[in-house]
Coordinates of all heavy atoms in Angstrom, one line a residue:
Chain V
F27 N -14.7 4.2 -71.9 CA -15.7 5.0 -71.2 C -16.3 6.0 -72.3 O -15.5 6.7 -72.9 CB -15.2 5.7 -70.1 CG -16.3 6.5 -69.3 CD1 -16.8 5.9 -68.2 CD2 -16.7 7.8 -69.6 CE1 -17.8 6.6 -67.4 CE2 -17.6 8.4 -69.0 CZ -18.2 7.8 -67.8
A28 N -17.6 5.9 -72.6 CA -18.1 6.6 -73.8 C -17.3 6.1 -75.0 O -17.1 4.9 -75.1 CB -18.2 8.1 -73.6
W29 N -16.8 7.0 -75.8 CA -16.0 6.7 -76.9 C -14.5 6.6 -76.7 O -13.7 6.3 -77.6 CB -16.3 7.5 -78.1 CG -16.2 9.0 -77.7 CD1 -15.0 9.7 -77.6 CD2 -17.2 9.8 -77.2 NE1 -15.2 10.9 -77.1 CE2 -16.6 11.1 -76.9 CE3 -18.5 9.7 -77.0 CZ2 -17.3 12.1 -76.4 CZ3 -19.2 10.8 -76.6 CH2 -18.6 12.0 -76.2
A30 N -14.1 7.0 -75.5 CA -12.7 7.2 -75.2 C -12.1 5.8 -74.8 O -12.6 5.2 -73.8 CB -12.5 8.2 -74.1
G31 N -11.1 5.3 -75.4 CA -10.4 4.2 -75.0 C -11.2 2.8 -75.3 O -10.9 1.9 -74.6
S76 N -22.8 -0.5 -65.6 CA -23.4 0.5 -64.8 C -24.3 1.4 -65.6 O -25.2 2.1 -65.0 CB -22.3 1.4 -64.1 OG -22.0 2.5 -65.0
F77 N -24.2 1.4 -66.9 CA -25.0 2.4 -67.7 C -25.3 1.7 -69.0 O -24.9 2.1 -70.1 CB -24.2 3.7 -67.9 CG -25.0 4.9 -68.2 CD1 -25.4 5.6 -67.1 CD2 -25.6 5.2 -69.4 CE1 -26.2 6.7 -67.2 CE2 -26.3 6.3 -69.6 CZ -26.7 7.1 -68.5
P78 N -26.2 0.7 -69.0 CA -26.5 -0.2 -70.2 C -27.6 0.5 -71.0 O -28.6 -0.1 -71.3 CB -27.0 -1.4 -69.6 CG -27.7 -1.0 -68.3 CD -26.9 0.2 -67.8
R79 N -27.3 1.7 -71.4 CA -28.3 2.5 -72.2 C -27.7 2.9 -73.5 O -26.6 3.4 -73.6 CB -28.7 3.7 -71.4 CG -30.0 4.3 -71.8 CD -30.4 5.4 -70.9 NE -31.0 5.0 -69.7 CZ -31.2 5.8 -68.6 NH1 -30.9 7.1 -68.7 NH2 -31.7 5.3 -67.5
M86 N -31.5 -2.5 -76.6 CA -31.3 -3.2 -75.2 C -32.6 -3.6 -74.6 O -32.8 -4.7 -74.1 CB -30.6 -2.1 -74.4 CG -29.6 -2.6 -73.4 SD -28.4 -3.8 -73.8 CE -27.8 -3.2 -75.3
E87 N -33.6 -2.6 -74.6 CA -34.9 -2.9 -74.1 C -35.6 -4.1 -74.8 O -36.1 -4.9 -74.1 CB -35.8 -1.6 -74.2 CG -35.4 -0.5 -73.3 CD -34.2 0.4 -73.7 OE1 -33.6 0.1 -74.7 OE2 -33.9 1.3 -73.0
K91 N -36.7 -7.6 -73.1 CA -38.0 -8.0 -73.1 C -38.2 -9.3 -73.7 O -39.1 -10.1 -73.3 CB -38.9 -6.9 -73.8 CG -39.5 -5.9 -72.8 CD -40.4 -5.0 -73.5 CE -40.5 -3.6 -72.9 NZ -40.7 -2.5 -73.8
L97 N -29.5 -8.7 -67.9 CA -28.8 -7.4 -67.5 C -28.5 -7.5 -66.0 O -29.3 -7.7 -65.2 CB -29.7 -6.3 -67.9 CG -29.2 -4.9 -67.7 CD1 -28.0 -4.6 -68.6 CD2 -30.3 -3.9 -67.9
L99 N -27.1 -4.8 -63.5 CA -26.8 -3.4 -63.3 C -25.9 -3.3 -62.1 O -26.2 -3.7 -61.0 CB -28.0 -2.6 -63.2 CG -27.9 -1.1 -63.1 CD1 -27.4 -0.6 -64.5 CD2 -29.3 -0.4 -62.8
I100 N -24.7 -2.6 -62.3 CA -23.7 -2.6 -61.1 C -23.3 -1.1 -61.0 O -22.9 -0.5 -62.0 CB -22.5 -3.4 -61.5 CG1 -22.9 -4.9 -61.9 CG2 -21.4 -3.4 -60.5 CD1 -21.8 -5.7 -62.4
P101 N -23.3 -0.6 -59.8 CA -22.8 0.8 -59.7 C -21.3 0.8 -60.2 O -20.6 -0.1 -60.1 CB -22.8 1.0 -58.2 CG -23.8 0.1 -57.6 CD -23.8 -1.2 -58.6
Q102 N -21.1 2.0 -60.8 CA -19.8 2.1 -61.5 C -18.5 1.9 -60.7 O -17.6 1.2 -61.1 CB -19.7 3.6 -62.2 CG -18.7 3.7 -63.2 CD -18.8 5.0 -64.0 OE1 -17.8 5.5 -64.6 NE2 -19.9 5.7 -63.9
G103 N -18.6 2.4 -59.5 CA -17.4 2.2 -58.6 C -17.3 0.7 -58.1 O -16.2 0.2 -58.0
T104 N -18.5 0.1 -58.0 CA -18.4 -1.4 -57.6 C -17.9 -2.2 -58.8 O -17.1 -3.1 -58.6 CB -19.8 -1.8 -57.1 OG1 -20.2 -1.0 -56.1 CG2 -19.9 -3.3 -56.8
A106 N -15.9 -1.2 -61.1 CA -14.4 -1.0 -61.2 C -13.6 -1.7 -60.1 O -12.7 -2.3 -60.3 CB -14.1 0.6 -61.0
E107 N -14.2 -1.7 -58.9 CA -13.5 -2.4 -57.8 C -13.6 -3.9 -57.9 O -12.6 -4.6 -57.5 CB -14.0 -1.9 -56.4 CG -13.2 -2.3 -55.2 CD -11.9 -1.7 -55.1 OE1 -11.6 -0.7 -55.9 OE2 -11.0 -2.1 -54.3
R110 N -10.9 -4.7 -60.4 CA -9.6 -4.5 -59.8 C -9.3 -5.7 -58.8 O -8.2 -6.2 -58.7 CB -9.5 -3.2 -59.1 CG -8.1 -2.8 -58.6 CD -8.0 -2.9 -57.1 NE -6.6 -2.7 -56.6 CZ -6.2 -3.2 -55.5 NH1 -7.0 -3.9 -54.7 NH2 -5.0 -3.0 -55.1
T121 N -18.4 -2.8 -49.6 CA -18.5 -1.5 -50.1 C -19.8 -0.8 -49.5 O -20.8 -1.6 -49.4 CB -18.5 -1.4 -51.7 OG1 -18.7 0.0 -52.1 CG2 -19.6 -2.3 -52.2
P122 N -19.8 0.5 -49.4 CA -21.0 1.2 -48.9 C -22.0 1.5 -50.1 O -23.1 1.8 -49.8 CB -20.5 2.5 -48.3 CG -19.2 2.7 -49.0 CD -18.6 1.4 -49.3
A123 N -21.5 1.4 -51.3 CA -22.3 1.8 -52.4 C -23.5 0.8 -52.6 O -23.2 -0.4 -52.6 CB -21.5 1.9 -53.7
A124 N -24.6 1.4 -52.8 CA -25.9 0.6 -53.1 C -26.6 0.1 -51.9 O -27.7 -0.4 -51.9 CB -25.6 -0.5 -54.0
G126 N -29.0 0.0 -49.0 CA -30.4 0.7 -48.9 C -31.1 0.8 -50.2 O -32.1 1.5 -50.3
T127 N -30.6 0.2 -51.3 CA -31.2 0.4 -52.6 C -31.5 -1.0 -53.1 O -31.1 -2.0 -52.6 CB -30.2 1.0 -53.6 OG1 -29.3 0.0 -54.1 CG2 -29.5 2.2 -53.0
P128 N -32.4 -1.1 -54.2 CA -32.7 -2.4 -54.8 C -31.5 -3.2 -55.3 O -31.5 -4.4 -55.3 CB -33.6 -2.0 -56.0 CG -34.2 -0.6 -55.7 CD -33.1 0.0 -54.8
L129 N -30.4 -2.5 -55.6 CA -29.2 -3.2 -56.1 C -28.5 -4.0 -55.0 O -27.6 -4.8 -55.3 CB -28.3 -2.2 -56.8 CG -28.8 -1.5 -58.1 CD1 -27.7 -0.9 -58.9 CD2 -29.6 -2.5 -59.0
N170 N -4.0 7.5 -73.4 CA -4.1 8.9 -73.7 C -5.2 9.5 -72.8 O -6.4 9.3 -73.1 CB -4.4 9.1 -75.1 CG -4.3 10.5 -75.5 OD1 -3.4 11.3 -75.1 ND2 -5.2 11.1 -76.3
K171 N -4.8 10.3 -71.8 CA -5.8 11.1 -71.0 C -7.0 10.3 -70.5 O -6.7 9.2 -69.9 CB -6.3 12.3 -71.9 CG -5.0 13.1 -72.3 CD -5.4 14.2 -73.4 CE -4.1 14.9 -73.8 NZ -4.2 15.9 -74.9
T172 N -8.2 10.7 -70.7 CA -9.3 10.0 -70.1 C -9.6 8.7 -70.8 O -10.5 7.9 -70.4 CB -10.6 10.8 -69.9 OG1 -11.1 11.1 -71.2 CG2 -10.4 12.1 -69.1
A173 N -8.9 8.4 -71.9 CA -9.0 7.1 -72.5 C -8.4 6.0 -71.7 O -8.5 4.8 -72.0 CB -8.4 7.1 -73.9
R174 N -7.8 6.4 -70.5 CA -7.3 5.3 -69.6 C -8.4 4.5 -69.0 O -8.4 3.4 -69.0 CB -6.5 6.1 -68.5 CG -5.6 5.1 -67.7 CD -4.9 5.8 -66.5 NE -3.9 6.8 -66.9 CZ -3.1 7.4 -66.2 NH1 -3.0 7.0 -64.9 NH2 -2.2 8.3 -66.6
N175 N -9.3 5.2 -68.3 CA -10.6 4.7 -67.6 C -10.5 3.3 -67.2 O -9.7 2.9 -66.3 CB -11.8 5.0 -68.5 CG -11.7 4.4 -69.9 OD1 -11.7 3.2 -70.1 ND2 -11.8 5.3 -70.9
F176 N -11.3 2.4 -67.7 CA -11.3 1.0 -67.2 C -10.1 0.1 -67.7 O -10.0 -1.1 -67.3 CB -12.6 0.3 -67.6 CG -13.8 0.6 -66.7 CD1 -14.6 1.7 -67.0 CD2 -14.1 -0.2 -65.6 CE1 -15.7 2.0 -66.1 CE2 -15.2 0.1 -64.8 CZ -16.0 1.2 -65.0
P178 N -6.7 -0.1 -67.6 CA -5.6 -0.7 -66.8 C -6.2 -1.8 -65.8 O -5.5 -2.8 -65.6 CB -5.1 0.5 -66.0 CG -5.4 1.7 -66.8 CD -6.8 1.4 -67.5
I179 N -7.4 -1.6 -65.3 CA -7.8 -2.6 -64.3 C -8.4 -3.8 -65.1 O -8.3 -5.0 -64.5 CB -8.9 -2.0 -63.3 CG1 -10.0 -1.3 -64.0 CG2 -8.2 -1.1 -62.3 CD1 -11.1 -0.8 -63.1
R220 N -5.9 4.2 -85.9 CA -7.3 4.7 -85.8 C -7.8 5.2 -87.1 O -7.1 5.9 -87.8 CB -7.3 5.8 -84.8 CG -7.5 5.3 -83.4 CD -8.2 6.4 -82.5 NE -7.3 6.8 -81.4 CZ -7.8 7.5 -80.4 NH1 -9.0 7.9 -80.3 NH2 -7.0 7.8 -79.4
Chain E
E49 N -15.9 10.9 -62.6 CA -15.7 9.5 -62.4 C -14.8 8.8 -63.4 O -14.2 7.8 -63.1 CB -17.1 8.7 -62.5 CG -18.1 9.1 -61.5 CD -19.0 10.3 -61.9 OE1 -18.5 11.3 -62.3 OE2 -20.2 10.0 -61.9
N50 N -14.7 9.3 -64.6 CA -13.9 8.6 -65.6 C -12.5 8.9 -65.6 O -11.8 8.7 -66.6 CB -14.5 8.9 -67.0 CG -14.5 10.4 -67.3 OD1 -14.9 11.2 -66.5 ND2 -14.2 10.8 -68.5
G51 N -12.0 9.4 -64.4 CA -10.5 9.5 -64.2 C -9.9 10.7 -64.5 O -8.8 10.8 -65.2
I52 N -10.4 11.8 -64.1 CA -9.9 13.2 -64.4 C -10.1 14.1 -63.2 O -11.2 14.1 -62.6 CB -10.5 13.8 -65.7 CG1 -9.9 15.2 -66.0 CG2 -12.0 13.7 -65.7 CD1 -10.3 15.7 -67.4
D65 N -11.0 17.5 -77.7 CA -10.1 16.3 -77.7 C -11.1 15.1 -77.3 O -11.5 15.1 -76.2 CB -8.9 16.5 -76.8 CG -8.1 15.3 -76.8 OD1 -8.5 14.2 -77.1 OD2 -6.9 15.4 -76.3
P66 N -11.3 14.2 -78.2 CA -12.2 13.1 -77.8 C -11.8 12.3 -76.6 O -12.5 11.6 -76.0 CB -12.2 12.3 -79.1 CG -11.0 12.6 -79.9 CD -10.7 14.1 -79.5
D67 N -10.5 12.4 -76.3 CA -10.0 11.7 -75.1 C -9.9 12.6 -73.9 O -9.4 12.1 -72.8 CB -8.6 11.1 -75.4 CG -8.6 9.9 -76.3 OD1 -9.7 9.3 -76.5 OD2 -7.6 9.6 -76.8
V68 N -10.5 13.8 -73.9 CA -10.6 14.6 -72.7 C -12.1 14.9 -72.5 O -12.6 15.9 -73.0 CB -9.8 15.9 -72.8 CG1 -9.9 16.7 -71.5 CG2 -8.3 15.6 -73.1
I69 N -12.8 14.0 -71.8 CA -14.2 14.2 -71.5 C -14.5 14.0 -70.1 O -13.7 13.6 -69.3 CB -15.0 13.1 -72.3 CG1 -14.5 11.7 -72.0 CG2 -14.8 13.4 -73.9 CD1 -15.3 10.6 -72.7
N70 N -15.7 14.5 -69.7 CA -16.2 14.3 -68.3 C -17.1 13.1 -68.3 O -17.3 12.4 -69.3 CB -16.8 15.6 -67.8 CG -18.1 16.0 -68.5 OD1 -18.7 15.2 -69.3 ND2 -18.5 17.3 -68.4
A71 N -17.7 12.9 -67.2 CA -18.5 11.6 -67.0 C -19.8 11.7 -67.8 O -20.4 10.6 -68.0 CB -18.8 11.4 -65.5
G72 N -20.2 12.9 -68.3 CA -21.3 13.0 -69.2 C -20.9 12.9 -70.6 O -21.8 13.0 -71.5
G73 N -19.6 12.7 -70.9 CA -19.2 12.5 -72.3 C -18.9 13.9 -73.0 O -18.6 13.9 -74.2
Q74 N -19.0 15.0 -72.2 CA -18.8 16.3 -72.8 C -17.3 16.6 -72.9 O -16.5 16.2 -72.1 CB -19.4 17.4 -72.0 CG -20.9 17.3 -72.0 CD -21.5 18.2 -70.9 OE1 -21.1 18.1 -69.7 NE2 -22.4 19.1 -71.2
Y84 N -4.8 12.6 -64.7 CA -5.6 11.5 -65.2 C -5.3 10.2 -64.3 O -4.1 10.0 -63.9 CB -5.3 11.2 -66.6 CG -5.5 12.4 -67.6 CD1 -4.5 13.1 -68.1 CD2 -6.8 12.8 -67.9 CE1 -4.7 14.1 -68.9 CE2 -7.0 13.9 -68.7 CZ -5.9 14.6 -69.2 OH -6.2 15.7 -70.0
F85 N -6.3 9.3 -64.2 CA -6.1 8.1 -63.4 C -7.2 7.1 -63.9 O -8.1 7.5 -64.6 CB -6.2 8.3 -62.0 CG -7.1 9.4 -61.6 CD1 -8.4 9.1 -61.4 CD2 -6.6 10.8 -61.5 CE1 -9.3 10.2 -61.1 CE2 -7.5 11.8 -61.2 CZ -8.8 11.5 -60.9
H86 N -6.9 5.8 -63.5 CA -7.9 4.8 -63.9 C -9.2 4.8 -63.0 O -9.3 5.4 -62.0 CB -7.2 3.5 -64.1 CG -6.7 2.8 -62.9 ND1 -7.4 2.6 -61.7 CD2 -5.5 2.4 -62.6 CE1 -6.7 2.0 -60.8 NE2 -5.5 1.8 -61.3
H87 N -10.1 4.0 -63.5 CA -11.4 4.0 -62.8 C -11.4 3.5 -61.4 O -12.1 4.0 -60.5 CB -12.4 3.1 -63.6 CG -13.5 3.9 -64.3 ND1 -13.3 4.5 -65.5 CD2 -14.7 4.2 -63.9 CE1 -14.3 5.1 -65.9 NE2 -15.2 5.0 -64.9
A88 N -10.5 2.5 -61.0 CA -10.5 2.0 -59.7 C -9.9 3.1 -58.7 O -10.4 3.3 -57.6 CB -9.6 0.7 -59.6
F91 N -12.7 5.9 -58.3 CA -13.7 5.5 -57.3 C -13.1 5.3 -55.9 O -13.8 5.4 -54.9 CB -14.5 4.4 -57.8 CG -15.6 4.9 -58.7 CD1 -15.4 4.9 -60.1 CD2 -16.9 5.2 -58.2 CE1 -16.4 5.4 -61.0 CE2 -17.8 5.7 -59.1 CZ -17.6 5.8 -60.5
R95 N -15.2 6.7 -53.0 CA -15.5 5.8 -51.8 C -14.7 6.1 -50.5 O -15.1 6.0 -49.4 CB -15.4 4.4 -52.2 CG -16.6 3.6 -52.1 CD -16.4 2.1 -52.4 NE -15.0 1.9 -52.7 CZ -14.5 1.6 -54.0 NH1 -15.3 1.5 -54.9 NH2 -13.2 1.6 -54.1
W118 N -32.1 7.4 -60.3 CA -31.6 6.6 -61.3 C -32.6 5.7 -62.1 O -32.3 5.1 -63.0 CB -30.5 5.7 -60.7 CG -31.0 4.6 -59.7 CD1 -31.3 4.9 -58.4 CD2 -31.2 3.3 -59.9 NE1 -31.8 3.8 -57.8 CE2 -31.7 2.7 -58.6 CE3 -31.1 2.4 -61.0 CZ2 -32.0 1.4 -58.5 CZ3 -31.4 1.1 -60.8 CH2 -32.0 0.6 -59.6
N124 N -40.1 3.1 -70.0 CA -39.7 2.1 -70.9 C -38.2 1.9 -71.0 O -37.6 1.1 -71.6 CB -40.2 2.3 -72.3 CG -40.9 1.1 -72.8 OD1 -40.7 0.0 -72.3 ND2 -41.8 1.3 -73.8
V125 N -37.5 2.8 -70.2 CA -36.1 3.0 -70.4 C -35.3 2.1 -69.5 O -35.6 1.9 -68.3 CB -35.6 4.5 -70.2 CG1 -34.2 4.6 -70.4 CG2 -36.4 5.4 -71.0
T126 N -34.2 1.4 -70.0 CA -33.4 0.6 -69.1 C -32.8 1.4 -68.0 O -32.3 2.5 -68.3 CB -32.2 0.0 -70.0 OG1 -32.8 -0.6 -71.2 CG2 -31.4 -1.0 -69.2
P127 N -32.9 0.9 -66.8 CA -32.2 1.6 -65.7 C -30.7 1.8 -65.9 O -30.1 0.9 -66.4 CB -32.6 0.9 -64.5 CG -32.9 -0.5 -65.0 CD -33.5 -0.4 -66.3
A128 N -30.2 2.9 -65.5 CA -28.8 3.1 -65.6 C -28.3 3.9 -64.3 O -28.9 4.9 -64.0 CB -28.5 3.9 -66.8
V129 N -27.3 3.4 -63.7 CA -26.9 4.1 -62.4 C -25.6 4.8 -62.4 O -25.4 5.8 -61.7 CB -26.9 3.0 -61.3 CG1 -25.8 2.0 -61.5 CG2 -26.9 3.6 -59.9
G130 N -24.8 4.5 -63.4 CA -23.5 5.2 -63.4 C -22.8 5.2 -62.1 O -22.7 4.2 -61.4
G131 N -22.2 6.3 -61.7 CA -21.5 6.4 -60.4 C -22.3 7.1 -59.3 O -21.8 7.4 -58.3
M133 N -24.6 6.0 -57.1 CA -24.7 5.3 -55.9 C -23.4 5.5 -55.0 O -23.5 5.7 -53.8 CB -25.1 3.9 -56.0 CG -26.5 3.7 -56.4 SD -26.9 1.9 -56.4 CE -28.6 2.0 -56.9
D134 N -22.3 5.4 -55.7 CA -21.0 5.6 -55.0 C -20.9 7.0 -54.5 O -20.5 7.3 -53.4 CB -19.9 5.3 -56.0 CG -20.0 4.0 -56.6 OD1 -20.6 3.8 -57.7 OD2 -19.4 3.0 -56.0
A137 N -23.5 7.8 -51.6 CA -23.1 7.1 -50.4 C -21.9 7.7 -49.7 O -21.7 7.7 -48.5 CB -22.9 5.6 -50.6
C138 N -20.9 8.3 -50.5 CA -19.6 8.6 -50.0 C -19.1 10.0 -50.0 O -18.1 10.3 -49.4 CB -18.6 7.7 -50.7 SG -19.0 5.9 -50.6
P164 N -37.2 3.9 -56.6 CA -36.0 3.2 -56.0 C -34.9 4.2 -55.6 O -34.6 5.1 -56.3 CB -35.5 2.3 -57.3 CG -36.8 2.2 -58.1 CD -37.6 3.4 -58.0
L165 N -34.4 3.9 -54.5 CA -33.3 4.8 -53.9 C -32.0 4.7 -54.6 O -31.7 3.6 -55.1 CB -33.2 4.6 -52.4 CG -34.4 4.9 -51.5 CD1 -34.0 4.7 -50.1 CD2 -34.8 6.3 -51.8
T166 N -31.2 5.8 -54.5 CA -29.8 5.8 -54.9 C -29.0 5.6 -53.6 O -28.0 4.9 -53.7 CB -29.5 7.2 -55.5 OG1 -30.5 7.4 -56.6 CG2 -28.1 7.2 -56.1
A167 N -29.4 6.3 -52.6 CA -28.7 6.1 -51.3 C -29.7 6.7 -50.2 O -30.5 7.6 -50.5 CB -27.3 6.7 -51.1
R168 N -29.5 6.2 -49.0 CA -30.3 6.8 -47.9 C -29.6 7.9 -47.2 O -28.4 7.9 -47.1 CB -30.5 5.7 -46.8 CG -31.5 4.6 -47.2 CD -31.8 3.7 -46.0 NE -32.4 2.5 -46.5 CZ -33.7 2.3 -46.8 NH1 -34.5 3.4 -46.7 NH2 -34.2 1.2 -47.2

Side-chain angles (χ1 to χ4, degrees):
Chain V
F27 185 96
W29 51 82
S76 88
F77 209 91
R79 198 177 280 171
M86 212 49 46
E87 286 80 358
K91 265 186 210 148
L97 183 64
L99 188 66
I100 306 174
Q102 195 171 160
T104 301
E107 190 68 11
R110 189 255 173 204
T121 176
T127 81
L129 297 192
N170 189 43
K171 302 171 182 172
T172 65
R174 190 182 301 187
N175 56 64
F176 279 89
I179 52 174
R220 271 209 238 192
Chain E
E49 294 94 304
N50 57 318
I52 177 170
D65 179 340
D67 285 346
V68 184
I69 57 177
N70 65 18
Q74 293 166 308
Y84 303 107
F85 33 86
H86 64 54
H87 250 85
F91 279 87
R95 240 186 357 252
W118 66 282
N124 229 340
V125 182
T126 307
V129 67
M133 288 188 177
D134 306 87
C138 304
L165 292 186
T166 307
R168 288 190 196 280

